[in-house]
Amino acid sequence: MLSLTDKAVEVIREVCQGEYTGLRILVRKGCSGLTYSMGLEEQAAEDDEVIDVEDVKVFVDPGSAMWLVGATMDYVAESAMGSGFVFDNPNAVPPPPPGCSCSSGTCG
């Protein structure tokens, strides 16, 4: 399942600030690869996988869990794209070849 760096755990803890129980991560596969959505939650859903690191919890639904096996989530404070969570994911889908169109159904 997903691993968290120390920095990611620290930032999640700061963001939750006792108001929320944890962070939900949703993963979807689309035309340009995997997309990650996150939100703060008060509790896990019944079928969630719960990643518990120290006092920080991350909730992952079953459909997203398969895309996070072996992945690592980090927090980058300063990069060319700004600051935020980043994923090193061996399950990442390569981008489609040039001329490929999801709307035409020519890509998987």
Side-chain angles (χ1 to χ4, degrees):
M1 180 43 83
L2 178 69
S3 299
L4 306 172
T5 65
D6 291 342
K7 185 62 178 175
V9 170
E10 178 185 324
V11 171
I12 295 168
R13 182 181 300 118
E14 288 174 13
V15 171
C16 288
Q17 295 182 2
E19 293 182 48
Y20 298 95
T21 304
L23 178 76
R24 173 166 304 283
I25 300 175
L26 297 169
V27 182
R28 300 289 179 250
K29 180 180 177 263
C31 291
S32 60
L34 299 177
T35 57
Y36 304 90
S37 300
M38 292 176 255
L40 299 174
E41 296 280 335
E42 292 186 13
Q43 64 184 21
E46 190 173 307
D47 60 347
D48 280 344
E49 290 196 35
V50 179
I51 302 164
D52 196 347
V53 180
E54 299 173 26
D55 59 338
V56 168
K57 293 184 183 346
V58 175
F59 309 129
V60 181
D61 66 277
S64 298
M66 68 179 190
W67 296 110
L68 293 172
V69 173
T72 301
M73 183 172 114
D74 193 8
Y75 184 83
V76 177
E78 294 182 29
S79 73
M81 301 206 39
S83 60
F85 291 105
V86 294
F87 292 84
D88 180 15
N89 193 338
N91 305 302
V93 180
C100 189
S101 171
C102 290
S103 62
S104 69
T106 59
C107 290

